[in-house]
Amino acid sequence: MTASTSAPSGMPSLPIETRSLGERSEAMIGALASISAEPDRLTRLYLTPEHKRAAHLVGDWMRRAGMAVRMDAAGTMHGLFVADADGGSGALGVRAARRRRRLLIGSHIDTVIDAGRYDGNLGVVAGIIAVEEVQKRGIPLPFDLEVLAFGDEEGVRFPRTLFGSSTIAGVLEPAMLDLVDADSVKIGDALLAFGGDPKAAPHERYRRADVAGYLEVHIEQGPVLEAAGEPLGVVSAIASQGRYRIRVSGQAGHAGTVPMALRKDALAAAAEIVSLVEAIARKGAADSLVGTVGEFRVSPGASNVIPGSVALSLDLRAASDAARAAAAAEIKRGIGDVAAGRGLPISLDAVLEKPVAICAPQLRQAIGQAISEVTGGTPRELMSGAGHDGHAMIHLTDIGMIFVRCRGGVSHNPAEFVSVEDQGVAIEALVRTIALLGGRQI
Ligand code: GLV
Ligand code: MN
Ligand code: MN
């Protein structure tokens, strides 16, 4: 790469080898997808043995790509590439003594249960390949590059999310260390078993002055890009999100002897709540409001016993914090009516509330320009309904995200699919975004 990188017109002369970038990505995605808790489906939860195996594989790749690798106290893998300001090979360690800002590039390697293979993993793989390309092309950068592989974006094992990115961003709440999984294992103990260090986690926080920004490549997980016939998009913001826990306390009893009028059936009440959530969320389409009850635990859970209690989750998201708060308030009122009508107590507690995270204008602009250079079109901006590590990273630095088209908009599902070509253009756009930002001295 020549000095023309810093020209306002961007980077006209880079070779476009997007197919081979995509093939490298697909091979790495396949290797990660084989690391699972279950033989026939992909399940890789935070701080599990399979998370550790995936982290080690990612660490090996980072090392081979010329990065200095470490796992931090929260189990996040860091790969630091000390870039050369003049475009020469960024020989690792040569400048280790000199402190420069870092452009962070990351995503997550934990998955949901029975997951697709691209969610999160693509962003980590894209970051590693982008660092390789920066070196191959001799792209001069005024900042170093650090690839991050977070382990807790999905928040499936523990009730809250983003432990790793919250640690780096300095927004880890001490109470998060006491959260327990379904087997009553505390995050703090799981971290120790993993090789992390709960006591050291708060000290992992980065200083704002040391960071140039945070970039993430992620599959769209929705149908917009596919419907538009476009491979890539610029994320404008990450939606407002709340997770809540609802507990319905009824009275267990004999399914054959207690007359219907005398029952306090917790599951019948919970079913009303599910319908209520759906009805309220349906009314909020203009605010991109969505509401989901995804977990449902019935106790004692026998066919001849009236359900005594039910614990259910509620996930609520919207384009604005006000729309989500209004929906949460309406659901709370509705739950109050169900409780009063059936004469049984129902509680609703917020587990997490994350405000809208707006992507930084200058990163959106650079990403848009990079995408235009790769695809020849003007990319659309779209909001992310899905949560991302950017939700935590925004407390540290500016965030920017590239969305990649996925087939049918399907995600959190083993049918999730991103073509090799689309992976290639996404990585090419990431490399160009990095170079553009370097040329602009962000
Ligand atoms: C994670 O993918 C989430 O959006 O909850
Ligand atoms: Mn994800
Ligand atoms: Mn996900």
Side-chain angles (χ1 to χ4, degrees):
M1 175 105 183
T2 66
S4 68
T5 331
S6 55
S9 57
M11 317 169 28
S13 59
L14 287 184
I16 298 180
E17 296 165 324
T18 55
R19 169 106 205 155
S20 81
L21 294 179
E23 281 165 357
R24 268 152 67 200
S25 169
E26 181 63 25
M28 290 161 82
I29 293 280
L32 277 171
S34 69
I35 303 175
S36 173
E38 303 173 278
D40 300 323
R41 57 184 201 164
L42 175 55
T43 299
R44 198 188 311 129
L45 307 189
Y46 184 40
L47 302 179
T48 55
E50 44 284 353
H51 172 201
K52 192 160 199 176
R53 296 209 307 279
H56 282 155
L57 180 59
V58 164
D60 288 346
W61 288 334
M62 288 170 163
R63 222 166 273 116
R64 259 184 262 155
M67 293 180 248
V69 178
R70 75 179 183 103
M71 189 187 87
D72 75 16
T76 300
M77 294 303 293
H78 299 236
L80 175 64
F81 171 67
V82 180
D84 231 352
D86 59 9
S89 135
L92 192 63
V94 170
R95 297 163 180 254
R98 183 175 44 78
R99 198 173 181 89
R100 289 206 304 174
R101 289 196 307 159
R102 298 170 185 187
L103 179 64
L104 308 177
I105 306 162
S107 198
H108 61 99
I109 53 172
D110 64 319
T111 73
V112 293
I113 295 164
D114 198 12
R117 49 173 55 193
Y118 301 93
D119 178 359
N121 296 282
L122 176 60
V124 172
V125 164
I128 295 170
I129 297 177
V131 168
E132 290 172 356
E133 289 299 307
V134 163
Q135 293 173 79
K136 269 194 207 158
R137 301 178 192 186
I139 299 174
L141 293 175
F143 41 68
D144 296 331
L145 297 175
E146 182 164 344
V147 179
L148 300 166
F150 297 115
D152 180 37
E153 189 256 15
E154 301 293 3
V156 172
R157 177 168 177 191
F158 298 98
R160 297 193 54 166
T161 63
L162 309 185
F163 194 94
S165 40
S166 298
T167 300
I168 291 175
V171 289
L172 188 69
E173 292 164 32
M176 278 184 82
L177 287 163
D178 294 326
L179 293 173
V180 292
D181 68 8
D183 298 321
S184 304
V185 177
K186 274 191 187 176
I187 285 199
D189 295 334
L191 252 183
L192 281 173
F194 189 81
D197 182 353
K199 287 207 179 76
H203 306 298
E204 294 284 3
R205 92 183 282 169
Y206 278 19
R207 290 185 335 158
R208 182 174 285 269
D210 292 337
V211 176
Y214 172 76
L215 295 179
E216 178 163 353
V217 171
H218 202 286
I219 64 167
E220 181 201 339
Q221 306 183 276
V224 175
L225 292 173
E226 186 179 60
E230 295 164 16
L232 305 177
V234 183
V235 178
S236 55
I238 308 173
S240 177
Q241 181 187 1
R243 282 191 186 187
Y244 311 83
R245 187 136 298 279
I246 300 170
R247 284 196 176 77
V248 185
S249 305
Q251 188 172 27
H254 198 294
T257 60
V258 184
M260 295 307 285
L262 299 182
R263 294 183 178 205
K264 291 198 187 310
D265 184 330
L267 181 52
E272 273 193 59
I273 294 170
V274 175
S275 300
L276 176 83
V277 166
E278 189 184 38
I280 291 171
R282 275 175 185 270
K283 287 190 303 181
D287 293 311
S288 302
L289 181 69
V290 285
T292 307
V293 174
E295 284 175 30
F296 214 80
R297 272 192 276 279
V298 181
S299 177
S303 66
N304 62 348
V305 182
I306 299 163
S309 65
V310 177
L312 51 155
S313 63
L314 168 63
D315 183 306
L316 210 52
R317 308 186 193 204
S320 73
D321 299 322
R324 179 175 59 77
E330 193 177 347
I331 289 170
K332 195 164 186 174
R333 281 195 300 277
I335 284 177
D337 293 344
V338 174
R342 291 180 171 268
L344 43 74
I346 307 177
S347 62
L348 180 145
D349 297 299
V351 177
L352 68 81
E353 300 202 284
K354 294 192 190 301
V356 170
I358 296 174
C359 295
Q362 82 278 14
L363 297 185
R364 282 152 70 169
Q365 202 282 329
I367 289 169
Q369 183 176 339
I371 293 176
S372 291
E373 289 176 6
V374 178
T375 65
T378 305
R380 71 186 53 235
E381 290 213 340
L382 62 172
M383 197 196 72
S384 173
H388 299 288
D389 286 291
H391 242 144
M393 297 303 280
I394 200 163
H395 294 280
L396 171 69
T397 188
D398 289 341
I399 63 166
M401 291 188 72
I402 299 174
F403 260 179
V404 190
R405 163 171 67 187
C406 59
R407 189 167 61 198
V410 172
S411 182
H412 285 188
N413 183 315
E416 196 178 83
F417 176 79
V418 181
S419 73
V420 164
E421 289 76 11
D422 286 359
Q423 292 176 60
V425 290
I427 295 168
E428 182 64 36
L430 176 61
V431 173
R432 288 176 182 238
T433 303
I434 294 167
L436 284 166
L437 293 173
R440 283 182 200 163
Q441 312 271 332
I442 55 164

